[in-house]
Amino acid sequence: MAVDTDATQVHLSVPLGDAVREALADVEDASALSRFPRAVLERLGKLGVLRRRWQGPFPGDVVFGARLAEEVARHAPTGVAVGVSLHTESVLSLLHRFAGDSEYLADLREQALDGTAIGALAASEPTGGSDLSAIRTLAVPTADGWCVRGSKKYVSLGAVGDFVIVLCRIAKADGTPTERLATVVVPLDRATVIREHEKLGTHALDTVAVEFHDVHVRADAMLGRPGLGLANVSYGLTFERLAVGAQVVGAVSRALALAVEHSERRVQFGAPLRSHQHIEFKLADVLVELEVLRAAVHEVARQTMDSPMGRPLVARVAAVKVHAARRAEHLVSECMQVFGGAGYLTQETPLGQMWRDIRLARIGGGTDEMMLALVAGELTGSPAEYGDAVRISA
Ligand SMILES: Cc1cc2nc3c(=O)[nH]c(=O)nc-3n(C[C@H](O)[C@H](O)[C@H](O)COP(=O)(O)OP(=O)(O)OC[C@H]3O[C@@H](n4cnc5c(N)ncnc54)[C@H](O)[C@@H]3O)c2cc1C
């Protein structure tokens, strides 16, 4: 497959769906994976898909990014889709927006676009997941850079990636913590993996706990300005959250396609399940919600591209993410229901695994509650309309 690249435009020689299927082709028995298959990102890089996502002015083609997340989730376990989006959305958005004039970071960005270097994001700690202002990992200034010291509880892609963007607290030279946070790139071979988490689902995504034992990084490994670390991470996570909405669309599409097929093959009471209207309408209901979710994801992606400086629309993205994540559990479960007992048997159908995998959408990239906090900030009353319309008697 050829890719035609110039400075601003990347043309894939085949439709995105074909490119994704090609990238996934070498992944044998994806459902049995216990680590992210990095060959998928390497292949997507080679095929030009990652550059196609980030072509043109910042923030690149966000709609394409959503389509990519959906396609991967449609054809691979959710864990693979989460890993791909982590790199293409969180990591690459941060490298595009905040590399500044650092040649080191610009070079890393190019490698990340080619899929030859894979990045992760380490923000959450034992002391802070929702409240990232509570993190304790320190970046202590040295003569020629920073000394990173501390631990991170969840680093997805941490066992297979090449570098990690670490949210740190800037310390004084004597190690005393300050109130200022920053994002620093650390090569993953300098981090110590202390635990590979056993998870309910998304086994195709390795998520590890790591420690940094006085890891020295160069001065230009700092992404963006010191003091703005939290804003940087929030920024990258907004792209990730939109991708979570797209992953839900892809995963539910897969579950629905399997359930529709089953409803046509399985005969009960002398007729295919689908001919029983309650089953067909159950499936139609899933399709209704799927179409609405897809439209919402694409619309907010488009709005982000049209917004000033391509700023992601934090509250709208949060609204889409929390809605998609909450509905995902129900929608996959409805598809599972069509399989009866076989839906519950993990040796017979993937539906149970898909149900467990998609549950992560309510946590990863920020929980439902944190999304609602962002949405709540947009709640506005209308004094004029209230004055005209409401007559409450004493
Ligand atoms: C499989 C997996 C992969 C992950 N990968 C990564 C990764 O790659 N990088 C990374 O940095 N992190 C990662 N995380 C961490 C994830 O982002 C956090 O788990 C998440 O943000 C929640 O933080 P917490 O676990 O500390 O929960 P807590 O912050 O302790 O929250 C517990 C519960 O309380 C709620 N809550 C907290 N504060 C409030 C409030 N003020 N009002 C109402 N409700 C509140 C939360 O919504 C949640 O329901 C991963 C997590 C998992 C499970």
Side-chain angles (χ1 to χ4, degrees):
M1 190 183 299
V3 57
D4 173 18
T5 327
D6 63 34
T8 55
Q9 294 294 313
V10 181
H11 304 286
L12 300 181
S13 62
V14 295
L16 174 62
D18 291 354
V20 166
R21 276 190 289 277
E22 183 175 332
L24 293 169
D26 293 340
V27 181
E28 280 173 25
D29 195 7
S31 59
L33 289 173
S34 57
R35 283 197 172 184
F36 179 80
R38 61 174 282 152
V40 172
L41 273 171
E42 289 168 352
R43 189 71 77 89
L44 287 172
K46 215 174 239 173
L47 293 170
V49 173
L50 306 182
R51 285 191 180 274
R52 171 69 183 78
R53 158 65 183 90
W54 284 98
Q55 76 173 12
F58 192 85
D61 191 338
V62 186
V63 176
F64 184 89
R67 287 178 49 222
L68 172 59
E70 179 182 338
E71 282 291 344
V72 178
R74 175 74 179 77
H75 298 289
T78 301
V80 176
V82 173
V84 168
S85 297
L86 186 56
H87 179 80
T88 63
E89 301 302 320
S90 287
V91 170
L92 274 166
S93 66
L94 287 165
L95 285 175
H96 272 85
R97 184 77 177 82
F98 300 114
D101 52 12
S102 163
E103 278 180 33
Y104 168 66
L105 295 177
D107 186 47
L108 207 54
R109 181 182 63 214
E110 294 308 300
Q111 292 176 46
L113 284 168
D114 286 335
T116 52
I118 291 171
L121 176 67
S124 312
E125 296 187 8
T127 50
S130 301
D131 179 11
L132 290 174
S133 66
I135 59 131
R136 293 184 181 164
T137 294
L138 296 182
V140 185
T142 63
D144 56 352
W146 302 92
C147 175
V148 178
R149 163 185 316 162
S151 65
K152 293 288 176 182
K153 180 162 179 187
Y154 303 94
V155 185
S156 296
L157 301 181
V160 301
D162 301 289
F163 66 94
V164 58
I165 298 171
V166 184
L167 181 65
C168 300
R169 179 173 301 284
I170 297 175
K172 295 179 185 164
D174 64 3
T176 313
T178 70
E179 291 299 307
R180 304 169 79 214
L181 303 186
T183 37
V184 178
V185 171
V186 178
L188 266 166
D189 61 6
R190 313 276 298 282
T192 309
V193 173
I194 55 164
R195 189 175 312 118
E196 297 207 15
H197 293 300
E198 302 257 334
K199 294 179 293 183
L200 182 68
T202 60
H203 303 300
L205 174 77
D206 47 283
T207 304
V208 299
V210 301
E211 284 178 353
F212 303 103
H213 301 294
D214 286 346
V215 177
H216 182 264
V217 297
R218 36 200 290 171
D220 62 356
M222 184 167 284
L223 266 172
R225 279 183 281 155
L228 296 183
L230 202 49
N232 298 351
V233 167
S234 308
Y235 181 85
L237 283 177
T238 306
F239 290 97
E240 176 81 24
R241 289 169 190 156
L242 194 55
V244 171
Q247 288 160 16
V248 166
V249 173
V252 173
S253 299
R254 177 160 183 249
L256 180 60
L258 294 173
V260 171
E261 190 61 32
H262 185 71
S263 75
E264 290 170 355
R265 294 176 184 221
R266 173 78 169 166
V267 173
Q268 289 291 276
F269 299 98
L273 288 177
R274 187 174 173 169
S275 67
H276 302 294
Q277 199 177 47
H278 186 81
I279 293 285
E280 190 172 52
F281 278 19
K282 183 193 288 294
L283 294 167
D285 260 338
V286 175
L287 185 56
V288 168
E289 293 211 37
L290 193 56
E291 293 298 344
V292 173
L293 281 178
R294 183 183 285 114
V297 168
H298 285 211
E299 176 57 19
V300 174
R302 219 168 277 123
Q303 288 177 10
T304 293
M305 289 171 75
D306 293 343
S307 70
M309 306 275 293
R311 276 205 191 88
L313 307 159
V314 175
R316 281 187 206 167
V317 169
V320 168
K321 198 253 185 195
V322 64
H323 186 64
R326 289 197 294 201
R327 295 309 293 159
E329 257 192 283
H330 171 73
L331 296 174
V332 173
S333 177
E334 286 294 272
C335 295
M336 194 162 98
Q337 188 70 9
V338 172
F339 283 87
Y344 205 72
L345 302 184
T346 51
Q347 300 289 331
E348 295 196 7
T349 72
L351 274 294
Q353 188 60 55
M354 292 169 78
W355 187 46
R356 288 195 286 178
D357 286 354
I358 210 66
R359 181 61 174 79
L360 179 61
R362 294 187 57 191
I363 303 166
T367 60
D368 288 358
E369 292 75 15
M370 294 302 103
M371 296 306 98
L372 290 173
L374 293 170
V375 174
E378 296 292 303
L379 289 170
T380 43
S382 170
E385 281 177 288
Y386 191 91
D388 287 346
V390 180
R391 299 274 181 270
I392 296 176
S393 57

